[in-house]
Amino acid sequence: MLFNSLTYLLFLPIVTLVYWLLPARARQVLLLIASYFFYMSWMKIYGLLLFGLTAANFIIGLFIGRAKTHANKRLIFTAGLAINLGCLVLFKYTNFFIESLRQTYTWMAPYLDLVALPSNVLTELPIILPLGISFFVFEFIHYLVDVFRGEKAVTSPVRFALFAAFFPSQIAGPIKRFEDFERQLVAGIHFKKEMFQSGVYLIAQGMFKKVALGDNLATLVQAGFANPTMMSTLDTWVCVMAFALQIYYDFSGYTDIGRGSAMVLGFSLPENFNMPYMATSLRDFWHRWHISLSTWLRDYLYIPMGGSRKGKNAASMNLMITMLLGGLWHGASWHYVVWGAFHGAGLAVNRVFDDAVAKSEALKRMTESIAWKAFSHVFTFMVVCVGWVVFRANNMAEAMNIYTGMFTLRPSTTPDATILQLFFQSPLPVALTLYAIAYSGFKLYSKYTQGVQAPIPLPQIRVPVYVQAAGLTGFAMLVFGLAPQQSIPFIYFQF
């Protein structure tokens, strides 16, 4: 069941209506049943996987919390990590390892005088990647780590199962922290009109981002990456920047729908994006992009490895390892590893530069100038775009073709169908203009209503419910009117 499908647009209102009509003690059970229905609508058998991992982690968490000695606690914790990581490796990386071994053997065979591998040796296994496994495994690991560090284990099997299966964040995050989710459940969920309305409008925003912007951008990106050698230098850059916008609108649109769905049910989920393309450095970018993952990697990988406590060289090495594993988390392919290495190296350089600025008054004055800040915005965006190439490409050969087009002067071989022309022929100019106007208007209104003086005075208008309903209906018609003919799956569903 996709967030941008008609099925979900029927599922969510029904669940929400029944949820608020039920007595408080029955709501958690309803959400748990609805969440499993949501997950198993894709493939029923993997509902058993989610249930099995949930049961295992619930029991392991209790045992960690009740262990009498630190040695026993560590042993149980290690077993829990092994179960979670073993499951992730089995489903996500088995075929990656098999294919890597086969390629390595094939490459070395001529040099070592080895016989060619038979076609039935080291072949991929028929494994289908369970949706969202990377996300809920990371949530389980975070839970076990925090209980091992002294947090109280969840004692309610229903609350823990709901933490794991909660459908608004189940498939592609944001990655929840169990303390925050458990705190909301224990305190009790109460209907708040303002929160409900904000959730509805957040869902509407997410739908527009995904359908009107992300999916239309996807058609340009697909056309360009399918024929990388036929694009001019200008078209190549347009295609790459289109993907940068596509992955942002696609993923942040998913997050908006997920967070909005949680809000209409009375829950608050963490934000995942904060205007990432306004970043002034790679370090700043990772404070703004996929925030729930970047903070998870910081708290449960980078800092436990030593962070920056053991010197500059160790800090750079820890950054590189963290981003390499972060790249591999995104997908079982070497081009994701290269993407992680690219960002790891970039963050290490960023760290060296920040250290130099801290020691030099001249550099500090330079970085505080308006010209430098403008340059840093543009430069950071261009660096991120260069990284997105290897992330989007199917393999390194395809990525190199794109890089060749970006950094050499190459004319178009199809002058009648350039990527730039496809852009102006699509609904994107209209959709981007509408989004920019609406986003600026809401930012201005938000700034005014929070008591900060806005450039122009705006009255606080209370809109009747029937007017809001009519407006949302018209908005939905606009979104689907701007939608491309082909529905595009969410990019982060594959992770």
Side-chain angles (χ1 to χ4, degrees):
M1 190 187 304
L2 301 176
F3 274 177
N4 59 329
S5 67
L6 179 60
T7 307
Y8 186 75
L9 294 181
L10 294 173
F11 168 81
L12 180 62
I14 292 171
V15 171
T16 303
L17 178 62
V18 176
Y19 174 80
W20 288 117
L21 289 176
L22 285 175
R25 63 181 179 275
R27 290 174 187 163
Q28 293 179 19
V29 176
L30 171 71
L31 278 188
L32 184 58
I33 294 171
S35 296
Y36 269 85
F37 176 83
F38 176 85
Y39 191 74
M40 294 173 70
S41 65
W42 167 69
M43 185 173 287
K44 293 180 176 59
I45 189 66
Y46 282 149
L48 295 175
L49 171 67
L50 177 59
F51 177 80
L53 277 176
T54 300
N57 282 281
F58 175 72
I59 295 169
I60 291 168
L62 291 177
F63 276 121
I64 292 174
R66 296 171 183 175
K68 300 299 182 182
T69 66
H70 184 74
N72 288 341
K73 182 181 288 190
R74 179 175 292 278
L75 180 63
I76 299 167
F77 168 69
T78 303
L81 282 185
I83 290 171
N84 285 286
L85 292 175
C87 190
L88 183 63
V89 168
L90 172 65
F91 284 98
K92 190 167 184 175
Y93 300 107
T94 297
N95 284 330
F96 170 64
F97 292 142
I98 290 173
E99 181 60 24
S100 296
L101 285 172
R102 186 175 185 85
Q103 290 179 357
T104 301
Y105 184 94
T106 302
W107 176 70
M108 294 179 61
Y111 301 100
L112 300 178
D113 197 24
L114 301 173
V115 297
L117 280 176
S119 59
N120 61 343
V121 175
L122 289 180
T123 57
E124 293 187 356
L125 301 176
I127 297 174
I128 300 175
L129 182 66
L131 286 178
I133 187 171
S134 297
F135 288 90
F136 58 73
V137 163
F138 267 31
E139 289 185 346
F140 286 139
I141 291 174
H142 131 71
Y143 169 72
L144 295 183
V145 170
D146 283 13
V147 173
F148 177 72
R149 290 173 176 173
E151 292 287 343
K152 290 184 178 180
V154 179
T155 56
S156 167
V158 173
R159 291 204 304 267
F160 186 78
L162 184 56
F163 160 71
F166 190 53
F167 72 84
S169 63
Q170 187 182 68
I171 307 300
I175 300 172
K176 306 184 298 298
R177 299 297 175 102
F178 92 92
E179 298 96 333
D180 296 333
F181 195 78
E182 174 77 354
R183 191 180 302 115
Q184 294 180 67
L185 289 174
V186 172
I189 302 299
H190 305 286
F191 182 83
K192 297 177 182 177
K193 181 181 176 182
E194 296 78 10
M195 189 175 190
F196 185 91
Q197 289 178 331
S198 297
V200 171
Y201 285 105
L202 198 56
I203 292 170
Q205 175 180 275
M207 287 290 184
F208 190 88
K209 283 182 178 179
K210 167 59 181 171
V211 177
L213 296 174
D215 287 358
N216 280 304
L217 286 161
T219 60
L220 303 185
V221 175
Q222 288 172 350
F225 274 80
N227 301 285
T229 60
M230 300 177 70
M231 291 189 293
S232 67
T233 300
L234 175 61
D235 273 350
T236 306
W237 275 101
V238 171
C239 179
V240 171
M241 287 190 285
F243 177 69
L245 293 177
Q246 180 205 347
I247 193 171
Y248 169 70
Y249 287 126
D250 186 283
F251 193 18
S252 68
Y254 177 95
T255 303
D256 286 348
I257 299 170
R259 292 184 66 236
S261 300
M263 290 173 76
V264 300
L265 296 167
F267 289 85
S268 177
L269 293 179
E271 289 201 35
N272 225 10
F273 296 92
N274 180 22
M275 302 176 69
Y277 294 142
M278 293 301 294
T280 56
S281 65
L282 272 187
R283 185 178 182 181
D284 188 26
F285 173 77
W286 280 103
H287 287 160
R288 298 166 174 263
W289 176 270
H290 204 346
I291 298 168
S292 63
L293 174 65
S294 60
T295 54
W296 193 100
L297 292 172
R298 179 199 66 199
D299 294 344
Y300 299 102
L301 193 57
Y302 175 71
I303 292 176
M305 285 192 301
S308 58
R309 300 189 301 272
K310 299 180 180 179
K312 297 177 181 179
N313 292 336
S316 296
M317 181 61 67
N318 291 337
L319 276 173
M320 179 62 75
I321 294 172
T322 299
M323 295 310 298
L324 280 171
L325 293 175
L328 191 60
W329 175 89
H330 279 83
S333 180
W334 284 109
H335 63 96
Y336 290 116
V337 177
V338 173
W339 176 77
F342 173 84
H343 276 275
L347 287 169
V349 171
N350 197 158
R351 186 178 185 83
V352 171
F353 179 76
D354 288 345
D355 289 342
V357 170
K359 296 176 182 177
S360 169
E361 286 298 325
L363 283 177
K364 190 179 296 184
R365 287 193 298 270
M366 180 191 73
T367 56
E368 291 173 351
S369 68
I370 296 175
W372 176 264
K373 290 178 180 178
F375 167 78
S376 62
H377 281 300
V378 175
F379 181 74
T380 301
F381 177 67
M382 303 305 282
V383 170
V384 171
C385 283
V386 170
W388 282 138
V389 172
V390 73
F391 185 97
R392 171 57 176 81
N394 294 311
N395 50 59
M396 288 305 301
E398 184 176 278
M400 293 309 298
N401 280 329
I402 296 291
Y403 286 136
T404 301
M406 292 171 70
F407 298 109
T408 62
L409 292 177
R410 187 167 67 185
S412 174
T413 58
T414 55
D416 295 331
T418 66
I419 302 299
L420 197 57
Q421 286 174 326
L422 291 175
F423 170 81
F424 286 110
Q425 292 168 4
S426 72
L428 281 167
V430 173
L432 286 168
T433 301
L434 291 174
Y435 179 74
I437 293 172
Y439 185 81
S440 300
F442 278 116
K443 277 290 184 183
L444 188 64
Y445 180 75
S446 176
K447 188 175 183 180
Y448 169 75
T449 55
Q450 291 174 4
V452 182
Q453 186 176 357
I456 56 174
L458 293 173
Q460 293 198 39
I461 303 173
R462 295 191 178 277
V463 182
V465 174
Y466 65 87
V467 175
Q468 294 185 49
L472 287 171
T473 301
F475 180 82
M477 294 174 65
L478 171 65
V479 169
F480 289 107
L482 292 171
Q485 294 181 346
Q486 181 184 5
S487 178
I488 309 296
F490 285 97
I491 293 174
Y492 267 69
F493 268 29
Q494 63 184 302
F495 307 136

